[in-house]
């Protein structure tokens, strides 16, 4: 683990008065994740916790800020945000707050032994060849060893207040994703990122149209027009409304490309992922590619631009049929 990890531990950096950021390493993907400390009346609110890596120096990080951490807020249940929650809670003695829906999914995915099997079966249904499904399963399990979420957190509902910040329901990247908003400042989790765009994937036992959810979230954020947005990865977003519109445009284009990959012959989500993202992806990226292809395919179905078929043991998609809604 150690030599595959980019070590970017940094002392908390003040981004503006009362908002600090520190950055923890990840073994893959964007290679780092940002956590935030928000100053409150009774101490700091820590937002997100990185992976549950043994070497995360919580004592050192906490020693660098004045005053205690009063609470820990989790934006969403992905491993790089929730994985360190148990260790962070132990180091601070603080209560963990997590969205109610998000925690349900967190427990289902990271707290159960049969999730890897269920997701592997689901990949088979979507056309992933059996030996590749095994590979995808193993690549996903790499993270499971580093997820130490906090059991039974204090549940948060959309629009709840968290120490003066409002919890905004921002589904799409994860069904139960919550951002924090106060006075023009958005703590965005993985809702608004730059330069990368958040992954929007369809997963089993989740909401049926995550891209539709995400497009609504982007509209909400464009209307809210925060002054600044601090995300879980990459750079600070200085023009959040413009970034929300740019990401929405990116998905319009990807929807067109997804539709172009369909024709009269049924194609699986796995096949469409090759058309969209090429054929030479390592397993861990293929996982995301299949999930991302499926979120776009399901969005096209909702929009009447594709049809879902299959026989119950597999799911396939076709382009709009001649004489169908599109040609009416
Ligand atoms: Zn993330």
């Amino acid at each position: 683990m150690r030599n595959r990890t980019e070590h970017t531990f940094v002392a908390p950096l003040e981004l503006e008065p009362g908002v600090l950021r520190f950055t923890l390493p990840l073994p893959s993907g964007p290679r780092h994740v940002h956590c935030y400390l928000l100053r409150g009346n009774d101490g700091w609110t820590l937002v997100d916790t990185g992976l549950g890596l043994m070497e995360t120096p919580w004592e050192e990080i906490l020693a660098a800020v004045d005053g205690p951490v009063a609470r820990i807020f989790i934006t969403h249940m992905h491993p790089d945000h929730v994985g360190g929650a148990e260790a962070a809670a132990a180091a601070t003695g603080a209560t963990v707050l997590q969205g109610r829906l998000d925690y349900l999914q967190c427990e289902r995915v990271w707290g159960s032994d049969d999730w890897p099997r269920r997701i592997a079966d689901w990949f088979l249904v979507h056309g992933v060849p059996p030996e590749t499904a095994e590979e995808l399963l193993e690549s996903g399990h790499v993270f499971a060893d580093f997820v130490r979420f906090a059991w039974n957190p204090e549940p948060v509902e959309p629009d709840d207040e968290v120490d003066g910040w409002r919890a905004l329901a921002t589904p799409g990247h994860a069904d139960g994703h919550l951002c924090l908003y106060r006075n023009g400042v958005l703590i965005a989790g993985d809702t608004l990122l730059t330069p990368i765009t958040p992954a929007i994937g369809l997963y089993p036992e989740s909401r049926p149209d995550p891209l539709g959810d995400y497009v609504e979230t982007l509209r909400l954020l464009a209307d809210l027009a925060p002054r600044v947005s601090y995300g879980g990865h990459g750079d600070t977003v200085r023009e959040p409304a413009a970034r929300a519109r740019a990401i929405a445009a990116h998905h319009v284009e990807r929807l067109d490309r997804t539709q172009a990959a369909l024709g009269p012959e049924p194609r699986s989500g796995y096949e469409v992922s090759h058309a969209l993202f090429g054929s030479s992806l390592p397993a861990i990226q293929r996982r995301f590619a299949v999930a991302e292809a499926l979120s776009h395919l399901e969005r096209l179905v909702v929009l009447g631009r594709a049809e879902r078929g299959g026989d119950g043991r597999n799911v396939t998609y076709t382009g709009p049929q001649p004489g169908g809604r599109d040609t009416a």
Side-chain angles (χ1 to χ4, degrees):
M1 196 80 208
R2 184 166 278 274
N3 28 9
R4 286 191 290 126
T5 305
E6 186 184 90
H7 275 259
T8 49
F9 295 129
V10 292
L13 176 79
E14 186 168 68
L15 301 168
E16 58 180 273
V19 179
L20 312 187
R21 183 182 74 199
F22 61 94
T23 303
L24 300 177
L26 296 180
S28 66
R31 297 255 159 205
H32 72 273
V33 59
H34 300 310
C35 307
Y36 294 88
L37 286 158
L38 312 175
R39 188 190 291 281
N41 295 326
D42 56 349
W44 297 90
T45 297
L46 166 64
V47 182
D48 288 343
T49 59
L51 283 174
L53 300 170
M54 295 301 285
E55 62 258 44
T56 302
W58 286 110
E59 314 291 342
E60 199 181 305
I61 293 164
L62 297 166
V65 295
D66 56 323
V69 169
R71 65 193 65 71
I72 298 166
F73 179 85
I74 304 296
T75 60
H76 66 294
M77 46 71 79
H78 291 171
D80 47 333
H81 299 258
V82 80
E86 185 186 73
T92 57
T95 306
V96 175
L97 283 72
Q98 188 171 2
R100 187 187 298 275
L101 169 63
D102 190 61
Y103 181 69
L104 275 176
Q105 297 191 341
C106 182
E107 214 179 42
R108 205 182 294 153
V109 171
W110 304 117
S112 79
D113 291 336
D114 64 342
W115 179 258
R117 194 68 267 155
R118 297 210 309 278
I119 199 160
D121 289 347
W122 187 78
F123 277 129
L124 294 175
V125 164
H126 286 289
V128 178
E131 56 299 346
T132 309
E134 274 319 304
E135 242 181 278
L136 299 195
L137 187 145
E138 277 163 34
S139 75
H141 219 60
V142 166
F143 281 115
D145 295 340
F146 302 103
V147 176
R148 298 281 182 272
F149 66 89
W151 290 87
N152 304 313
E154 194 174 295
V156 181
E157 300 289 355
D159 295 321
D160 276 1
E161 195 201 293
V162 177
D163 199 33
W165 295 74
R166 185 154 57 97
L168 296 183
T170 42
H173 179 71
D175 289 350
H177 193 295
L178 296 174
C179 296
L180 292 179
Y181 181 73
R182 186 176 76 175
N183 293 339
V185 178
L186 185 74
I187 307 296
D190 285 358
T191 296
L192 218 50
L193 302 175
T194 196
I196 62 170
T197 54
I200 307 299
L202 181 76
Y203 292 96
E205 299 166 46
S206 301
R207 284 173 58 80
D209 179 18
L211 183 56
D213 291 340
Y214 186 56
V215 167
E216 279 305 310
T217 289
L218 291 173
R219 198 168 295 154
L220 177 128
L221 295 180
D223 289 347
L224 187 68
R227 169 174 59 80
V228 65
S229 173
Y230 300 117
H233 309 277
D235 301 333
T236 295
V237 177
R238 298 285 167 199
E239 292 182 80
R243 183 62 186 150
R245 284 191 291 268
I247 295 175
H250 159 83
H251 287 291
V252 167
E253 193 215 301
R254 185 167 280 171
L255 279 170
D256 290 344
R257 287 178 52 217
T258 307
Q259 186 176 359
L262 296 176
E265 289 299 316
R267 301 191 80 183
S268 69
Y270 179 71
E271 289 171 316
V272 172
S273 82
H274 283 257
L276 286 176
F277 301 103
S279 293
S280 58
L281 295 180
I284 193 152
Q285 284 177 37
R286 178 62 59 196
R287 250 175 101 91
F288 286 113
V290 172
E292 185 98 18
L294 287 168
S295 74
H296 286 74
L297 288 163
E298 285 298 318
R299 184 82 201 125
L300 288 175
V301 171
V302 170
L303 295 171
R305 293 168 58 186
E307 292 187 14
R308 186 194 316 109
D311 60 6
R313 299 176 57 84
N314 67 81
V315 175
T316 54
Y317 298 87
T318 50
Q321 300 299 306
R325 274 175 283 183
D326 246 26
T327 52

